Amino acid sequence: MTRTRIHNLSMSLDGFATGEGQSLDAPMGHAGQRLHEWMFATRFGAPILGRQGGTTGVDDTFAQQHEPGIGAEIMGAGKFGPPGWQDDADWRGWWGPNPPFHTPAFVLTHRPRPSIEMEGGTTFHFLDAAPAAALDAAREAAEGQDVRVGGGPTVVRDFLAAGLVDHMHVVQVPIVLGRGVRVWDGLEALEEEYEIEAVSAPSGVTHLTFDRRSA
């Protein structure tokens, strides 16, 4: 059965998964790259910044699980572009002509537009839909593979609140952002619904995996 998964969701010690002040020049707001430095150091993440090599330890092992078995992605408007991208008819996402998804990708926005077919197998579809309806569309497109909820934190929180996430990988990064967008607000006692494991890495981050308990 198709599962709904979240991978490589980095957050600060105070629970922020993105900083304040997102813009074209600052996709993660004032957080910059600090939430994801652990990933960019790995063999999985180094190519994202055009780097060679990268580490092959525990951080890379977790990061690599982002890709296998994914047939579609769901993302929020803030992951697709900076505030105001809906007013730019030519905006096609942050990632250039060949985005890294290589699957159908569903962008949740109150201002849908026609789908955009990109190189490498990515097609962006724009939906004004609640989490359950968006997941139904993504599951159909995934053709039996899993659906990844790719963020940002508001979308992740909405899917968790709706009880739609089967597996989640959170990376707690030892920094304090102080402001931004939190993940956990309103999700009191979420831990009761999941089996949770923690693995500390030499880089200083902690990998937390959440797997939904069997009924």
Side-chain angles (χ1 to χ4, degrees), residues 22-81:
Q22 184 191 36
S23 67
L24 181 62
D25 297 325
M28 297 297 294
H30 82 288
Q33 296 181 356
R34 288 181 292 162
L35 285 171
H36 301 97
E37 286 175 351
W38 71 272
M39 184 176 66
F40 295 140
T42 67
R43 181 166 292 183
F44 171 83
I48 297 173
L49 296 184
R51 299 172 180 169
Q52 300 295 318
T55 63
T56 59
V58 62
D59 287 339
D60 187 61
T61 298
F62 276 102
Q64 294 283 356
Q65 296 175 29
H66 183 267
E67 306 293 342
I70 296 295
E73 164 137 349
I74 298 171
M75 69 179 72
K79 180 172 179 176
F80 185 73

Side-chain angles (χ1 to χ4, degrees), residues 109-189:
T109 172
H110 295 304
R111 295 171 58 185
R113 60 172 62 181
S115 298
I116 303 174
E117 186 172 348
M118 308 290 287
E119 297 176 14
T122 299
T123 299
F124 291 114
H125 304 284
F126 302 88
L127 299 179
D128 184 3
L135 182 56
D136 285 343
R139 280 176 170 161
E140 183 175 354
E143 298 182 341
Q145 297 192 84
D146 290 349
V147 173
R148 182 174 57 229
V149 178
T154 300
V155 168
V156 167
R157 187 170 61 244
D158 289 345
F159 273 76
L160 288 169
L164 298 175
V165 176
D166 300 304
H167 172 87
M168 178 168 61
H169 166 228
V170 172
V171 186
Q172 185 169 300
V173 181
I175 63 173
V176 176
L177 288 178
R179 53 197 168 97
V181 184
R182 297 183 190 271
V183 175
W184 303 127
D185 289 359
L187 298 176
E188 181 179 353

